[in-house]
Amino acid sequence: MLNNLTTPKSDFDVIVVGAGHAGVEACLASSRLGQATLMITSNVDRIAYMSCNPSIGGLAKGHMVREIDVLGGEMGLAADATCIQFKRLNSGRGPAVRGTRVQNDKHRYSAHIKAKLSQQPNLTVMQGEVKSLILDRGICLGVNLQDGSQIFAKATVITTGTFMNGVMHFGLQQISGGRIGDQATVGLSDQLREFGFSVQRLKTGTPARLHKDSIDWSKTEPQYGDEKIYPFSFRSPLKFQLPQVACYLSRTTEETHEIIRKNLDKSPMYCGIIEGIGPRYCPSIEDKVMRFADRASHQTFLEPEGLDTDLIYLQGISTSLPEEVQLEFLRTIPGLENVKVVRYGYAVEYDFIEPTQIWHRLETRPIRQLFLAGQINGTSGYEEAAAQGLVAGVNAAHSLLGKAEFILDRDKAYIGVLIDDLVTKGTREPYRMFTSRAEHRLVLREDNTMDRLGDLSIALGLVGSEAKTKLEHLKSRRTSLLESLQTEKLFPNAETQEKLLKIPTTVLNKSISFEELLRRSEVSCSDLKGLNFSIDEDPNVSEPVEIEVKYAGYIKRQNELIEQAKKSEELPLAPTLNYGEIKGLSNEEVEKLNRIKPRTLGQAQRISGVNPSATQAIMIYLKSQQRTDRSQTENQSEFCEGRGRRSQSSVAIGTVVPGAGC
């Protein structure tokens, strides 16, 4: 139990509703910025609970975890501390599309986060159910609880995940709730809808959990992790903190697919009972069988949920079919012929707020001092939720501290891409981050996160003094390594040539710097050790420097394109701008621009349905307005000068002129 769990008797600066991954980062950010913060959750035993896959990271998702970490968040540290299998995905491909993914002990992960919350100053955690918001003239003043009590705060962050009007589907049976064992949040979305918000439905799902002793592992293929860890957090030790385990691969069969096809009339998705749209990139097994009918099988990974549990997570087989159908088709998968199901899969349908109704700072447009983060904004995944939670927590605190809004640009962080996509384009399905969503992904790599965000993090004050010192030290070591590579020379003597041939790489015709040698595709930093070059083997130092050297030309070009794009990206658009006054815009463009109210011309260009001709029309309009304003200013200046001359002559003859001088 959290040692700061209590029933609050006083008001707070910030209230965070929800204790999932978004809620955790929101309340930690707010409290670390000195704000008295209250976390309200319906179940204190499920804080930071991994409702679905017990893993963190993946392509683009791992990038966000590192960004959260550099900005002072907790997800990376928790993932490193509870890692039971580590993998670098796409390790043989370019650095822009490599990604870290770890399998976690889900119970230890939750325990790690609960321990961190219990030690955090300025933070109180309580168990309770929020029924509605306290609103007054468009400002959120706090929350009403189910028991009738009220708690007031200067800012409120809602992170309700899949719980807003959540309904679980087990075949044709429906039960209210956001996940097994936890009740739904009822009332909040209805209140927001009444206030004018567009509230929609989404759907997600989870697979069965299996008992490990009932699986014939000899019929599966073991999948091992990497032998070395490159932790998510720059604050974590460079070694595994828990024993590492294997996951196992199996595949569905044609018999599996036939059973599913015969029972689609029992699937709530195919009977029209579920109205919400599910995640396109993580479909249920029913969807896979129907959408990819030409495939004879689909792979599934059997993943342990922890070191001290018998539960196995069946990745890739989420389903809402009835229990008897699930058991029937599961036993057609190699290795699962005699499987015992501990918990069957089910689907969850829940409310979300159309995210074009929030600002980049994640404050809602209709209600001031109300911030939204996580699946309530239409996203899918722990990492996307945590990223939003951190941004919402910082901005909730900044709104009280009188500080500028905290917004990350698309060329600075995947977090910036995520939020800009949501606010600008909205979503009709659970949004999932991919590297392909970032137009500047070569400069948004995992390895250079602290270069991109380190100084900003220190300026924000989200990292403690020890982390700040380590961050600065790592950046200094990177600089030193790069300088050594540029200044130290390699000479074409017999010993050097022999060592180069062993790498193998071409021998030298003349002396070159180690930086020039490292630019060769076949040469790595580790090869330089054999050439008597002192290399810093910390992957937080050597890897980013090596990538910077090898891809210097491409990175330079990418930065040039970013600078060019900033000319339109940074052109501000006033929130009061009436797009109906601009000639050349279609009715659809006017409607979308007036609804979304883009902050910059660059954001306007990314709105779906706003054509390049429209942005040209906006630029022409703004230039004409600037000329008009300039003309008015010049006329006013001439008028003031004239009045000034008249007032001087009047004063000279002793006449008082009312309003002399402008």
Side-chain angles (χ1 to χ4, degrees), residues 297-352:
S297 67
H298 295 280
Q299 66 180 18
T300 177
F301 289 94
L302 286 73
E303 302 174 334
E305 290 206 335
L307 298 176
D308 306 316
T309 177
D310 294 327
L311 295 186
I312 299 297
Y313 178 91
L314 194 62
Q315 189 196 64
I317 311 289
S318 68
T319 181
S320 55
L321 285 165
E323 294 181 0
E324 64 274 12
V325 178
Q326 290 188 45
L327 184 60
E328 184 182 3
F329 79 67
L330 286 174
R331 288 186 168 177
T332 65
I333 298 174
L336 307 185
E337 292 85 355
N338 298 300
V339 73
K340 292 181 180 178
V341 178
V342 179
R343 196 186 78 198
Y344 286 93
Y346 59 94
V348 182
E349 197 175 14
Y350 58 95
D351 286 348
F352 81 103

Side-chain angles (χ1 to χ4, degrees), residues 432-450:
R432 179 178 178 179
M433 179 54 71
F434 294 98
T435 56
S436 58
R437 295 191 189 273
E439 61 271 38
H440 306 303
R441 65 184 185 181
L442 183 56
V443 297
L444 298 182
R445 308 184 308 274
E446 278 194 335
D447 64 271
N448 71 345
T449 312
M450 65 179 67

Side-chain angles (χ1 to χ4, degrees), residues 631-644:
S631 177
Q632 290 175 346
T633 301
E634 290 171 354
N635 290 337
Q636 178 69 12
S637 178
E638 291 175 3
F639 176 70
C640 289
E641 290 176 4
R643 293 192 63 178

Side-chain angles (χ1 to χ4, degrees), residues 41 103 130 159 183 192 272 359 439 482 558 587 591 660:
T41 173
Q103 193 73 18
V130 173
T159 68
Q183 59 193 5
L192 293 173
W359 300 105
E439 61 271 38
L482 183 58
Q558 184 88 96
N587 291 335
E591 185 274 328

Side-chain angles (χ1 to χ4, degrees), residues 496-566:
T496 296
Q497 306 290 44
E498 183 180 350
K499 290 179 178 179
L500 290 174
L501 289 172
K502 288 181 179 178
I503 289 179
T505 187
T506 308
V507 296
L508 303 180
N509 294 321
K510 61 178 182 178
S511 61
I512 61 172
S513 68
F514 278 91
E515 180 186 33
E516 291 175 280
L517 180 66
L518 189 57
R519 288 198 190 117
R520 298 182 181 184
S521 60
E522 68 274 14
V523 178
S524 67
C525 270
S526 59
D527 293 323
L528 303 186
K529 291 188 296 182
L531 294 163
N532 300 322
F533 182 86
S534 179
I535 195 78
D536 192 323
E537 297 187 60
D538 186 335
N540 285 303
V541 177
S542 58
E543 181 169 309
V545 171
E546 180 174 335
I547 292 171
E548 192 73 26
V549 168
K550 288 186 180 297
Y551 292 86
Y554 297 102
I555 294 169
K556 180 182 178 182
R557 178 57 181 157
Q558 184 88 96
N559 286 327
E560 289 172 351
L561 293 173
I562 291 170
E563 288 303 313
Q564 293 173 14
K566 279 186 176 180

